[in-house]
Amino acid sequence: MDKEKINERALLLMRLYWRDQLYKIGKELGIPYFNQFKDYWDIDHFQGALEISKKITDDELLRIVKKNPPKYISLGGFYGKYYTVTEKGEIKLEGAWDLIRENVHKVLENYGDKGYAVLQAIINKGGRATYFEIIEEIEKILGKPYIPSHLLPRLQPLKLVFKTGSRRYPDWTMPPEIIPVVKEEIANYKRSGKRYEIVLEEKISPKEKTSFLILRADRKIAKIADEIAQKRREINLIFKSKFSGIKLFEDNEIAILDIRKLCANEEEFNNRIQALTTLIDGINVKELKKFIKNKKLNGSVNVLEAFLEEHFSNYNKRIITNFRNIVTLRSKKYPIHKDDAKFIDALKYFGFKRYPPDWGRLWEVVLKNYLESLKLLKKCIEE
């Protein structure tokens, strides 16, 4: 039998039944796969559906559905190449891809590249993604941000994308049985170079746009901070394995929490840069000095530099340069110390030619440079 059809029938069975019902059906059919499990929750959902799909015909499928009416059908039914199930539960032994193709064309005709980008973004994320994951992927596709808050709900009546997950943690899902045909149609759209005149213009209120920008910035900063925390952990593990069990960085959960916060003005920047330099100052200087010649050397960055010079002489110098300029942003400006022209030099290092800078943008760039140093440091010590 056609493998493609068997796999789609398995997807259909997964849509109609959860594991407990599949287990019951599989046992009744005497399928060996199910005999190895004492309880239904031990079976793999897809594998269980696939084992049943291999053993039954279309007529047997209809008999199974009649005997075991589905309790709930998610994602608006089922619209595959070989099978269709309506929202009311009516099953048909015929495909619905012509309908899906038509609906994809409607999206492209009404929304042009934006419609293409939303569909492609969800496919790129494996068919299921959170709102902000979709936004991030759209920006990669279009090369600019786009807020799909009006478009996403309009894809549900077209059977293309559905809001799933919990109310608190929602995401958006493209039914797996339609992904191949949607992928094919949007690939044709991209390949043809055809660009529709956008029929439906979306109106986004200033309040919604501002909220989006704030949430987007918050997500970006949090993502960088999470990666920083992970890289510090990885460096500590490597360091402990190579240098007598010592950690390079001291733990500082409060500072990690503080660098996750957004920065909207100069006062907030002062607070954020203080937290970040606390992490730099938190290098385990006392233990690190055991591995350098100059025991009288002071300053966490100085000690780290001496250590790298003696043990990893080919290290990337940006590790230290980034750290020094971050410290300068804290120490050469009020309120930590009196204002100093070296602060302007540090700004220029991070790509800011004017004072005052965009404090929020500066904070993001500084975090990225700190993360860059961690990545370079990890690469250096693990070689």
Side-chain angles (χ1 to χ4, degrees):
M1 187 184 293
D2 187 346
K3 184 178 179 181
E4 184 182 51
K5 185 174 183 179
I6 290 174
N7 285 337
E8 183 177 298
R9 189 157 59 208
L11 292 176
L12 172 60
L13 287 167
M14 289 177 68
R15 187 72 49 79
L16 298 176
Y17 304 116
W18 185 231
R19 285 184 295 177
D20 56 341
Q21 290 175 291
L22 287 179
Y23 182 76
K24 174 177 172 288
I25 294 168
K27 293 284 280 186
E28 289 176 351
L29 292 173
I31 297 173
Y33 170 79
F34 295 91
N35 294 332
Q36 61 184 304
F37 302 105
K38 184 178 179 181
D39 298 296
Y40 73 84
W41 54 76
D42 291 324
I43 73 170
D44 178 83
H45 197 190
F46 175 73
Q47 191 62 43
L50 183 62
E51 294 297 327
I52 295 173
S53 179
K54 290 176 183 177
K55 300 294 183 182
I56 63 174
T57 64
D58 283 348
D59 287 339
E60 288 172 319
L61 171 67
L62 294 177
R63 285 197 291 271
I64 288 170
V65 174
K66 185 176 181 179
K67 182 180 178 182
N68 304 276
K71 297 176 183 177
Y72 170 74
I73 303 174
S74 62
L75 301 182
F78 189 91
Y79 296 86
K81 183 177 181 180
Y82 302 97
Y83 302 99
T84 304
V85 179
T86 66
E87 289 181 87
K88 294 181 179 180
E90 180 187 1
I91 185 168
K92 303 175 183 178
L93 301 179
E94 59 186 46
W97 274 12
D98 286 343
L99 172 65
I100 299 302
R101 289 182 198 279
E102 181 182 331
N103 288 345
V104 171
H105 292 163
K106 287 180 182 178
V107 173
L108 297 175
E109 289 168 5
N110 289 334
Y111 297 97
D113 283 355
K114 292 177 180 178
Y116 160 77
V118 171
L119 295 174
Q120 186 66 66
I122 296 172
I123 288 174
N124 289 355
K125 301 303 290 186
R128 183 170 183 167
T130 65
Y131 181 64
F132 278 100
E133 286 174 338
I134 294 170
I135 288 175
E136 289 173 355
E137 199 64 30
I138 287 172
E139 189 165 354
K140 294 177 186 176
I141 294 166
L142 294 179
K144 59 184 178 180
Y146 164 60
I147 308 171
S149 57
H150 287 265
L151 176 52
L152 280 169
R154 285 161 173 75
L155 299 178
Q156 186 156 315
L158 298 174
K159 315 298 182 187
L160 298 177
V161 178
F162 295 83
K163 193 173 186 179
T164 52
S166 66
R167 182 176 297 179
R168 187 173 181 182
Y169 301 107
D171 45 32
W172 295 87
T173 300
M174 182 179 291
E177 72 275 8
I178 74 167
I179 288 179
V181 67
V182 175
K183 187 185 292 186
E184 180 183 324
E185 292 305 309
I186 61 176
N188 290 338
Y189 169 79
K190 184 177 181 182
R191 188 165 46 248
S192 69
K194 183 176 181 179
R195 293 297 178 263
Y196 295 105
E197 180 181 349
I198 297 177
V199 176
L200 300 178
E201 280 292 345
E202 299 164 273
K203 294 182 179 180
I204 299 172
S205 68
K207 183 178 179 181
E208 183 182 4
K209 187 172 182 180
T210 300
S211 176
F212 160 74
L213 291 174
I214 292 172
L215 288 170
R216 180 169 172 262
D218 182 60
R219 181 175 172 84
K220 286 175 70 176
I221 294 298
K223 192 173 181 180
I224 298 169
D226 287 345
E227 196 170 353
I228 284 171
Q230 181 61 26
K231 283 289 172 285
R232 284 169 58 89
R233 176 175 174 268
E234 292 169 2
I235 289 169
N236 273 344
L237 286 170
I238 296 168
F239 227 81
K240 287 172 71 174
S241 70
K242 289 191 171 186
F243 297 97
S244 305
I246 73 165
K247 295 193 300 184
L248 178 61
F249 298 121
E250 297 170 357
D251 295 330
N252 193 328
E253 291 84 356
I254 298 300
I256 292 292
L257 289 173
D258 281 343
I259 68 170
R260 288 176 59 88
K261 298 176 182 177
L262 279 176
C263 172
N265 52 51
E266 184 175 4
E267 182 180 358
E268 290 182 353
F269 180 80
N270 292 338
N271 293 333
R272 306 293 178 269
I273 201 71
Q274 179 67 47
L276 186 57
T277 52
T278 297
L279 294 178
I280 295 175
D281 291 339
I283 290 172
N284 198 341
V285 170
K286 182 180 177 181
E287 294 297 329
L288 205 57
K289 280 186 177 182
K290 296 176 181 178
F291 300 95
I292 64 174
K293 296 173 184 177
N294 186 357
K295 309 297 183 184
K296 295 181 180 181
L297 196 62
N298 292 316
S300 58
V301 178
N302 292 334
V303 173
L304 177 61
E305 182 180 33
F307 172 82
L308 293 174
E309 290 286 352
E310 293 180 31
H311 295 274
F312 304 94
S313 58
N314 292 325
Y315 74 97
N316 192 310
K317 301 300 188 288
R318 280 186 66 85
I319 296 171
I320 299 300
T321 309
N322 284 339
F323 284 168
R324 289 199 193 285
N325 279 281
I326 292 171
V327 172
T328 297
L329 291 180
R330 176 201 64 180
S331 61
K332 300 300 179 182
K333 178 184 172 298
Y334 178 84
I336 304 301
H337 295 291
K338 66 179 182 178
D339 289 339
D340 190 308
K342 290 181 180 179
F343 180 85
I344 302 298
D345 293 335
L347 280 183
K348 291 179 179 177
Y349 174 81
F350 291 114
F352 293 82
K353 298 179 180 179
R354 296 182 180 181
Y355 184 87
D358 178 331
W359 296 106
R361 178 60 183 154
L362 175 61
W363 175 234
E364 182 183 337
V365 171
V366 168
L367 271 185
K368 286 180 177 178
N369 276 264
Y370 178 73
L371 177 58
E372 178 192 40
S373 284
L374 295 181
K375 289 179 177 178
L376 292 172
L377 182 56
K378 177 177 180 282
K379 182 178 179 181
C380 167
I381 65 174
E382 69 183 354
E383 290 178 349

